[in-house]
Amino acid sequence: MEHPIHSAFAGFDYLGKATRFAHEIHEVIDRSSLFEEFSFQEFEALCDYMICYTAPRHGVLIREGDIGDFLVILLTGKVDVVKDASDGSTKFIAVVGPGASLGEMSLIDGQARFATCISTEPVDFAVLDRKALNAVLAAHPRLGNKLLLLLLQLMVKRLRDSSERLLPHIGSSVV
């Protein structure tokens, strides 16, 4: 499957299809909970639908408020995840490293990005966009469904973690 350079990454170095780096990528993400249930053959098939890039330090991989249609899998380096606050300040959410996935909510729902993801050092990353996800679902339905289920589990885990962090800040009165 041929992939054009994604417009969101026009200023970054295009490395090509992820299949060229399948073994290296598998080593990185095999430690990631998102892909731990994938066999190498399944992962290699998925790589055929992803493209890779390198971003410099301070590169914006995802910008809060942008409409998104892709997720990013961080392969090397670190990325800060930050959110604009209502008072105009920027709030630090997390720092993520190799194996982390970013942008899965917008991949699924096509809505605006929740946060901004900025590289703190040069990073390599793989991209799976909605068009490629649909192609996976058509050509490899079991693999596509497995990926969707894992993305759903990841999003539910993040929602639960966020809810736990918010719980102490919610009033205790019961209606």
Side-chain angles (χ1 to χ4, degrees), residues 15-95:
L15 300 177
K17 289 178 69 167
T19 47
R20 292 178 49 206
F21 311 102
H23 287 283
E24 294 88 347
I25 296 170
H26 187 259
E27 285 181 25
V28 170
I29 67 166
D30 194 38
R31 297 176 291 247
S32 166
S33 62
L34 177 61
F35 292 101
E36 68 187 355
E37 295 181 29
F38 277 60
S39 69
F40 180 74
Q41 291 76 21
E42 289 172 321
F43 177 73
E44 195 171 32
L46 184 61
C47 278
D48 198 37
Y49 295 88
M50 296 189 293
I51 49 179
C52 294
Y53 297 90
T54 296
R57 183 174 187 235
H58 302 301
V60 177
L61 280 61
I62 293 174
R63 186 177 311 277
E64 182 177 349
D66 284 359
I67 300 301
D69 70 344
F70 61 86
L71 72 78
V72 168
I73 301 169
L74 195 59
L75 305 174
T76 65
K78 292 186 179 168
V79 169
D80 281 346
V81 181
V82 297
K83 176 113 178 99
D84 293 336
S86 58
D87 65 5
S89 66
T90 300
K91 303 293 183 186
F92 175 81
I93 296 176
V95 62

Side-chain angles (χ1 to χ4, degrees), residues 106-120:
S106 292
L107 170 70
I108 301 299
D109 69 8
Q111 297 298 308
R113 299 293 186 174
F114 174 76
T116 298
C117 302
I118 305 168
S119 59
T120 59

